[in-house]
Amino acid sequence: MATRFAETVEKVRAGERLSKDEALCLYEEGDLFTLGRLAAERNQKLNGEVVFYNINRHINPTNICVNQCRFCAYSRLKGEEGAYEQGVGEILAEVESAEDLGIREFHIVGGLHPDWPFEFYLELLRGLKKAHPGIVIKAFTAVEIDYFAKISGLSVPEVFTRLKEAGLEAMPGGGAEIFTPEVRNRICPEKISGARWLEIMELAHAAGIPTNATMLYGHVESIADRIDHMEELRRLQDRTHGFQVFIPLAFHATNTDIRKKGETSGIDDLKTLAVARLYLDNFRHLKAYWVMLGEKIAQLALLFGVNDLDGTVVKERITHAAGAKSAVGLDEDYIRNLIRRAGKEPVERDTFYRSLSGLKDGKERGND
Ligand code: V47
Ligand code: SF4
């Protein structure tokens, strides 16, 4: 008689949608190499040998936040040691040479500042767009959007209209954490609920704003919680097709209020990516965020169903506050080499997963 795992493998091979129980079975009974091979085959069908990366720059205007998520080592209360806030002028000065560095995307997220008005964020976007009209602005998590609606008295659709007018073109996927209410109450009791996060993403998609989706794993959640989380994302994606990519985020415990020994294991990182590739059958792209995985696990992930390595980042603050050992930014050649040495074809993408490879002709150095 075929085992539960063998039956699930058959279903994967037949291209059928997996149930939550089957995803659990992959996690619990699947050996890493079988999962990796299945996920790689699925990715090969969707994306061939191409692995995307992006030349981007992170901007984090402030770490002052009215929420105090227990897993967050980055946020500070106003007046607390280490708190910072940047004005629009300071941010513009910091990214002045963005075009010279080939930057194509600004990724902007930050704390929920107790005093800043919504107008501050609009001014920031307008300022960036005026100075850098060719650079795409991907900004603000669903958590920030909910906060903007609260502080401005506007509805969420009105918030989106204003942000789009000011230059917003896409949204990152942060703030999702784990949707299960019991877990959320333990790790981020003040944060908007999972249901509200999903509602705001649905409104973003309706407003024509493509978004990303994340899942923070490796803290207090169970495997079943991870699968429930992916199920919610898969359901919404069936309705809107507005998610561009799924990004599992590996929890880092240093300086946080969550007691946990060590970081996620490399085995868990790769298994989570492989199961995500197989379960989220309506997501074309799967990102290994090298900042959280480390450069080497992110490279291995390219053999486990991943087709995107994120980008140059330049100055990462959130994960490094929680003890990340990876670089704070990588240069383009380094990323291309990681991809080529995994036997894949590096292709620069824009925020919307369009290939920019034509623009790279003659730039290859072949030094791997
Ligand atoms: O929402 C916070 C997570 C997120 C920790 O959409 C932590 O392209 C690990 O969402 N350990 C922000 N993770 C980062 C994020 C992101 C990053 C890169 C690309 C994209 C994208 C999105 O970081 C937060 C939270 O889930 N986070 N603290 C921590 N200690
Ligand atoms: Fe604030 Fe975001 Fe950190 Fe939570 S994760 S405390 S909302 S900055």
Side-chain angles (χ1 to χ4, degrees), residues 174-219:
E177 323 314 356
I178 283 280
F179 295 140
T180 319
E182 295 73 30
V183 174
R184 234 175 156 78
N185 284 340
R186 282 178 68 192
I187 65 168
C188 50
E190 293 135 357
K191 191 166 253 174
I192 57 168
S193 67
R196 179 66 170 159
W197 187 95
L198 289 159
E199 186 187 346
I200 288 174
M201 285 310 197
E202 187 157 13
L203 290 168
H205 300 165
I209 301 167
T211 78
N212 298 344
T214 61
M215 171 178 77
L216 181 68
Y217 69 96
H219 39 89

Side-chain angles (χ1 to χ4, degrees), residues 13-164:
R13 290 233 155 90
E16 287 173 43
R17 177 163 273 201
L18 297 178
S19 68
K20 289 206 278 185
D21 275 351
E22 286 158 348
L24 200 59
C25 166
L26 290 181
Y27 249 120
E28 286 173 349
E29 294 174 33
D31 75 280
L32 185 61
F33 289 124
T34 306
L35 285 181
R37 197 172 319 110
L38 292 171
E41 280 167 15
R42 177 68 59 84
N43 179 49
Q44 168 73 29
K45 281 199 189 109
L46 287 169
N47 300 303
E49 294 300 319
V50 166
V51 173
F52 284 128
Y53 66 94
N54 181 223
I55 305 188
N56 62 353
R57 191 193 205 288
H58 283 202
I59 296 173
N60 309 112
T62 182
N63 63 350
I64 299 175
C65 187
V66 298
N67 280 357
Q68 293 291 298
C69 300
R70 298 187 59 227
F71 59 77
C72 179
Y74 166 73
S75 78
R76 294 286 182 279
L77 292 171
K78 204 175 151 190
E80 197 181 332
E81 202 188 327
Y84 76 86
E85 46 187 37
Q86 294 181 299
V88 173
E90 189 182 341
I91 294 171
L92 289 177
E94 206 174 82
V95 304
E96 201 180 355
S97 56
E99 278 80 7
D100 300 340
L101 299 170
I103 305 287
R104 296 188 189 275
E105 174 190 284
F106 291 129
H107 166 117
I108 311 172
V109 295
L112 310 179
H113 195 287
D115 307 326
W116 286 357
F118 181 41
E119 188 55 36
F120 169 86
Y121 301 92
L122 297 174
E123 250 175 55
L124 173 61
L125 298 197
R126 283 187 214 114
L128 285 168
K129 209 64 212 171
K130 188 159 176 232
H132 309 280
I135 299 181
V136 172
I137 299 178
K138 179 184 90 190
F140 310 130
T141 65
V143 178
E144 290 166 284
I145 299 295
D146 175 78
Y147 190 64
F148 296 161
K150 277 201 188 100
I151 60 176
S152 66
L154 298 171
S155 68
V156 170
E158 283 167 341
V159 165
F160 282 137
T161 303
R162 305 275 171 97
L163 289 171
K164 278 174 74 174

Side-chain angles (χ1 to χ4, degrees), residues 256-332:
T256 74
D257 290 336
I258 292 180
R259 292 291 131 244
K260 188 108 214 259
K261 275 203 194 120
E263 313 296 350
T264 57
S265 74
I267 305 287
D268 193 19
D269 294 332
L270 294 174
K271 231 178 198 190
T272 301
L273 286 159
V275 172
R277 172 54 87 193
L278 298 173
Y279 193 71
L280 293 175
D281 55 5
N282 51 7
F283 279 65
R284 174 149 180 207
H285 305 293
L286 177 64
K287 184 188 285 189
Y289 185 40
W290 60 261
V291 170
M292 293 193 189
L293 296 172
E295 295 84 343
K296 290 185 177 182
I297 293 286
Q299 184 187 40
L300 282 175
L302 303 182
L303 308 180
F304 288 77
V306 162
N307 73 315
D308 181 18
L309 270 195
D310 198 84
T312 47
V313 177
V314 182
K315 193 170 178 182
E316 204 284 333
R317 289 179 165 110
I318 297 171
T319 327
H320 285 81
K325 308 262 182 338
S326 54
V328 294
L330 291 177
D331 66 30
E332 182 184 8

